[in-house]
Short mmCIF file of all heavy atoms in Angstrom, two decimals:
data_model
loop_
_atom_site.label_atom_id
_atom_site.label_comp_id
_atom_site.label_asym_id
_atom_site.label_seq_id
_atom_site.Cartn_x
_atom_site.Cartn_y
_atom_site.Cartn_z
N PRO A 46 24.98 -11.76 -7.25
CA PRO A 46 23.73 -12.07 -6.50
C PRO A 46 22.56 -11.34 -7.09
O PRO A 46 22.69 -10.21 -7.61
CB PRO A 46 24.04 -11.60 -5.06
CG PRO A 46 25.14 -10.62 -5.22
CD PRO A 46 25.94 -11.01 -6.43
N ILE A 47 21.39 -11.96 -7.03
CA ILE A 47 20.22 -11.31 -7.56
C ILE A 47 19.84 -10.06 -6.75
O ILE A 47 19.44 -9.09 -7.31
CB ILE A 47 19.05 -12.35 -7.52
CG1 ILE A 47 19.37 -13.53 -8.45
CG2 ILE A 47 17.74 -11.72 -7.99
CD1 ILE A 47 18.32 -14.61 -8.42
N VAL A 48 20.03 -10.17 -5.44
CA VAL A 48 19.79 -9.04 -4.59
C VAL A 48 21.04 -8.80 -3.77
O VAL A 48 21.61 -9.74 -3.19
CB VAL A 48 18.57 -9.35 -3.66
CG1 VAL A 48 18.38 -8.20 -2.68
CG2 VAL A 48 17.37 -9.64 -4.43
N LYS A 49 21.51 -7.62 -3.79
CA LYS A 49 22.72 -7.27 -2.95
C LYS A 49 22.38 -7.35 -1.47
O LYS A 49 21.40 -6.89 -1.04
CB LYS A 49 23.19 -5.83 -3.33
CG LYS A 49 23.70 -5.72 -4.72
CD LYS A 49 24.23 -4.33 -5.02
CE LYS A 49 24.74 -4.18 -6.43
NZ LYS A 49 25.27 -2.80 -6.72
N PRO A 50 23.28 -8.06 -0.74
CA PRO A 50 22.98 -8.22 0.71
C PRO A 50 22.80 -6.97 1.44
O PRO A 50 21.88 -6.89 2.28
CB PRO A 50 24.24 -8.99 1.17
CG PRO A 50 24.80 -9.63 -0.03
CD PRO A 50 24.52 -8.71 -1.14
N GLU A 51 23.57 -5.89 1.21
CA GLU A 51 23.41 -4.72 1.93
C GLU A 51 22.13 -4.02 1.65
O GLU A 51 21.49 -3.45 2.53
CB GLU A 51 24.65 -3.77 1.72
CG GLU A 51 24.80 -3.33 0.19
CD GLU A 51 25.65 -4.35 -0.60
OE1 GLU A 51 25.94 -5.42 -0.03
OE2 GLU A 51 26.01 -4.03 -1.76
N VAL A 52 21.67 -4.12 0.38
CA VAL A 52 20.35 -3.53 0.04
C VAL A 52 19.23 -4.31 0.68
O VAL A 52 18.22 -3.74 1.22
CB VAL A 52 20.18 -3.53 -1.51
CG1 VAL A 52 18.81 -2.97 -1.90
CG2 VAL A 52 21.31 -2.64 -2.14
N ALA A 53 19.34 -5.63 0.71
CA ALA A 53 18.33 -6.50 1.28
C ALA A 53 18.18 -6.15 2.80
O ALA A 53 17.04 -6.08 3.31
CB ALA A 53 18.63 -7.96 1.06
N ILE A 54 19.28 -6.04 3.46
CA ILE A 54 19.28 -5.77 4.88
C ILE A 54 18.64 -4.41 5.16
O ILE A 54 17.82 -4.25 6.12
CB ILE A 54 20.73 -5.81 5.46
CG1 ILE A 54 21.20 -7.29 5.42
CG2 ILE A 54 20.74 -5.31 6.94
CD1 ILE A 54 22.59 -7.43 5.90
N LYS A 55 18.96 -3.42 4.31
CA LYS A 55 18.38 -2.08 4.54
C LYS A 55 16.91 -2.08 4.39
O LYS A 55 16.14 -1.53 5.12
CB LYS A 55 19.09 -1.09 3.48
CG LYS A 55 18.59 0.31 3.75
CD LYS A 55 19.34 1.21 2.75
CE LYS A 55 18.87 2.68 2.94
NZ LYS A 55 19.59 3.61 2.01
N VAL A 56 16.44 -2.74 3.32
CA VAL A 56 14.97 -2.81 3.07
C VAL A 56 14.31 -3.58 4.19
O VAL A 56 13.21 -3.22 4.68
CB VAL A 56 14.73 -3.54 1.67
CG1 VAL A 56 13.22 -3.72 1.52
CG2 VAL A 56 15.22 -2.64 0.58
N PHE A 57 14.90 -4.67 4.64
CA PHE A 57 14.33 -5.48 5.71
C PHE A 57 14.21 -4.65 6.97
O PHE A 57 13.17 -4.73 7.65
CB PHE A 57 15.18 -6.74 5.98
CG PHE A 57 14.71 -7.60 7.08
CD1 PHE A 57 13.65 -8.41 6.93
CD2 PHE A 57 15.35 -7.53 8.35
CE1 PHE A 57 13.17 -9.21 7.96
CE2 PHE A 57 14.89 -8.29 9.40
CZ PHE A 57 13.83 -9.14 9.19
N ASN A 58 15.23 -3.91 7.30
CA ASN A 58 15.20 -3.09 8.52
C ASN A 58 14.10 -2.01 8.42
O ASN A 58 13.41 -1.74 9.40
CB ASN A 58 16.54 -2.38 8.79
CG ASN A 58 17.64 -3.43 9.15
OD1 ASN A 58 17.34 -4.52 9.68
ND2 ASN A 58 18.85 -3.14 8.89
N VAL A 59 13.95 -1.36 7.25
CA VAL A 59 12.99 -0.34 7.09
C VAL A 59 11.56 -0.92 7.20
O VAL A 59 10.69 -0.36 7.92
CB VAL A 59 13.14 0.39 5.72
CG1 VAL A 59 12.00 1.31 5.48
CG2 VAL A 59 14.46 1.15 5.70
N LEU A 60 11.33 -2.08 6.54
CA LEU A 60 10.01 -2.67 6.60
C LEU A 60 9.72 -3.17 8.07
O LEU A 60 8.57 -2.97 8.54
CB LEU A 60 9.94 -3.95 5.70
CG LEU A 60 9.96 -3.60 4.21
CD1 LEU A 60 9.98 -4.89 3.39
CD2 LEU A 60 8.68 -2.82 3.84
N THR A 61 10.70 -3.71 8.70
CA THR A 61 10.45 -4.10 10.15
C THR A 61 10.11 -2.97 11.02
O THR A 61 9.21 -3.00 11.83
CB THR A 61 11.70 -4.80 10.66
OG1 THR A 61 12.05 -5.94 9.80
CG2 THR A 61 11.53 -5.30 12.06
N GLN A 62 10.80 -1.84 10.81
CA GLN A 62 10.51 -0.65 11.63
C GLN A 62 9.13 -0.10 11.36
O GLN A 62 8.38 0.23 12.25
CB GLN A 62 11.56 0.47 11.29
CG GLN A 62 11.33 1.73 12.09
CD GLN A 62 11.55 1.61 13.57
OE1 GLN A 62 12.20 0.62 14.01
NE2 GLN A 62 10.98 2.46 14.34
N ASN A 63 8.71 -0.03 10.07
CA ASN A 63 7.44 0.45 9.73
C ASN A 63 6.27 -0.41 10.24
O ASN A 63 5.26 0.05 10.76
CB ASN A 63 7.30 0.58 8.18
CG ASN A 63 8.22 1.64 7.63
OD1 ASN A 63 8.66 2.54 8.38
ND2 ASN A 63 8.53 1.60 6.38
N ILE A 64 6.50 -1.78 10.10
CA ILE A 64 5.42 -2.69 10.54
C ILE A 64 5.26 -2.61 12.02
O ILE A 64 4.15 -2.54 12.59
CB ILE A 64 5.73 -4.12 10.09
CG1 ILE A 64 5.63 -4.21 8.56
CG2 ILE A 64 4.79 -5.13 10.75
CD1 ILE A 64 6.12 -5.54 8.00
N SER A 65 6.40 -2.64 12.80
CA SER A 65 6.29 -2.57 14.24
C SER A 65 5.78 -1.26 14.72
O SER A 65 5.02 -1.23 15.70
CB SER A 65 7.65 -2.88 14.84
OG SER A 65 8.59 -1.88 14.45
N SER A 66 6.10 -0.18 14.02
CA SER A 66 5.67 1.15 14.46
C SER A 66 4.19 1.34 14.22
O SER A 66 3.46 1.90 15.02
CB SER A 66 6.50 2.19 13.80
OG SER A 66 6.29 2.18 12.43
N SER A 67 3.73 0.73 13.15
CA SER A 67 2.30 0.93 12.82
C SER A 67 1.39 0.13 13.70
O SER A 67 0.20 0.44 13.88
CB SER A 67 2.06 0.53 11.35
OG SER A 67 2.34 -0.87 11.15
N LYS A 68 1.89 -0.98 14.34
CA LYS A 68 1.03 -1.83 15.14
C LYS A 68 1.21 -1.56 16.62
O LYS A 68 0.19 -1.61 17.37
CB LYS A 68 1.36 -3.29 14.84
CG LYS A 68 0.82 -3.80 13.56
CD LYS A 68 0.98 -5.30 13.45
CE LYS A 68 0.34 -5.85 12.14
NZ LYS A 68 0.48 -7.27 12.07
N TYR A 69 2.43 -1.34 17.12
CA TYR A 69 2.62 -1.32 18.47
C TYR A 69 3.16 -0.04 19.13
O TYR A 69 3.26 0.03 20.30
CB TYR A 69 3.59 -2.49 18.88
CG TYR A 69 3.11 -3.83 18.45
CD1 TYR A 69 3.71 -4.54 17.43
CD2 TYR A 69 2.01 -4.42 19.05
CE1 TYR A 69 3.27 -5.75 17.00
CE2 TYR A 69 1.52 -5.66 18.64
CZ TYR A 69 2.16 -6.33 17.63
OH TYR A 69 1.70 -7.54 17.25
#
């Protein structure tokens, strides 16, 4: 795979946490 699933999930969770924390 071009992107490993476990790495993609980790990055997605970190970005989601950062975006939500910065706004709300």
Side-chain angles (χ1 to χ4, degrees):
I47 298 177
V48 178
K49 294 182 178 180
E51 58 273 9
V52 177
I54 293 177
K55 184 177 180 181
V56 172
F57 178 78
N58 291 335
V59 172
L60 288 175
T61 303
Q62 178 67 22
N63 291 340
I64 293 173
S65 61
S66 62
S67 61
K68 285 188 176 182
Y69 302 110

